[in-house]
Amino acid sequence: AKKSLGFILDHLNAEDRFNIVIFNTAITPYASTLRPAKERGDARRFVDRISASGGTDIDRALAAALGMRQKSESRPFIVIFLTDGLPTVGVTDPNTIIANVAKASSRDVRLFTFGLGTDVNTVLLDTIAQENRGASAYVQPGEEIESTVSSFYAKVSAPLLSDIAIDFGSASVE
C-alpha cells in the first residue's frame, strides 16, 4: 500500500491537490485541507512513517476523505481509496457503508478503489466505485504491484471522457 501511494504521489500533475487519510482504528489525515502537489515530498515522509496496526475503519476513512470536498469547486473531486483489509472497526456492515458513502457523496465525486491482498471485500469496493463514477483494481500477493498501480493511475489521472450521455431519440435500443 505504501508503494502504491508513493507511486501516486510521484505522478501527481502540477495543478493537482491531494490529501492522505491513514486509517486503522484511528483516522489520521496528512493535513486538514487539500494540499498542492508541490508538497508531495512532505507527504512521502508522512507515508514512510505509516505502520500497519489496529483494525480497519473503512466507513470513517471514506467519510473523512469525502468531507474534504470543497463544494465550490467546478472540477471533479477524486478519491483513491487504497485498502488491504476488510471493515473490522466502527461500521462493518457493507450495505451501511455503501449507504453512508452515498449520503456523503455528490455528482462531482469520482471514487476509485484499489484492493491489496486477499483480505478485501471486492463486492463492497466494486459497488462503492461503480456508484461513484469510479473503477476498482486489485493486486494479489505475488503479483507485480507497479504495473497494476501504473495502469490504474493512468485511468484516474487523466480521464478522457466523463458524464457521457447518449440520446437515441425514439429508437428502441438494447
Side-chain angles (χ1 to χ4, degrees):
K2 287 168 72 169
K3 262 184 166 179
S4 301
L5 187 50
F7 180 91
I8 291 168
L9 286 169
D10 290 344
H11 290 85
L12 289 172
N13 297 311
E15 67 279 1
D16 288 343
R17 291 173 304 138
F18 74 97
N19 203 344
I20 301 165
V21 177
I22 298 171
F23 61 101
N24 46 37
T25 12
I27 305 300
T28 309
Y30 163 69
S32 59
T33 61
L34 297 177
R35 308 306 309 150
K38 67 182 179 184
E39 284 189 21
R40 79 183 90 219
D42 288 340
R44 280 292 239 143
R45 288 184 282 285
F46 177 77
V47 169
D48 289 342
R49 292 190 300 269
I50 296 173
S51 64
S53 65
T56 305
D57 196 339
I58 289 176
D59 188 63
R60 281 187 43 220
L62 287 167
L66 291 167
M68 293 181 190
R69 179 172 73 55
Q70 297 173 342
K71 294 178 175 121
S72 61
E73 288 285 328
S74 60
R75 60 185 173 176
F77 181 78
I78 296 174
V79 174
I80 301 173
F81 185 71
L82 302 169
T83 185
D84 63 353
L86 298 164
T88 60
V89 175
V91 176
T92 58
D93 175 59
N95 292 324
T96 304
I97 294 170
I98 291 165
N100 290 344
V101 169
K103 282 184 227 166
S105 189
S106 64
R107 186 132 179 85
D108 63 333
V109 170
R110 308 291 183 267
L111 204 156
F112 296 86
T113 60
F114 195 86
L116 301 156
T118 57
D119 258 357
V120 295
N121 183 331
T122 57
V123 173
L124 171 64
L125 297 181
D126 289 347
T127 302
I128 290 170
Q130 289 170 1
E131 291 184 359
N132 291 278
R133 294 155 295 284
S136 51
Y138 301 95
V139 175
Q140 298 298 315
E143 286 185 337
E144 185 183 313
I145 195 167
E146 287 81 7
S147 63
T148 306
V149 173
S150 63
S151 172
F152 174 75
Y153 191 68
K155 281 190 242 177
V156 175
S157 63
L160 297 176
L161 302 169
S162 64
D163 294 330
I164 303 303
I166 299 173
D167 182 355
F168 292 101
S170 61
S172 176
V173 178
E174 289 186 23

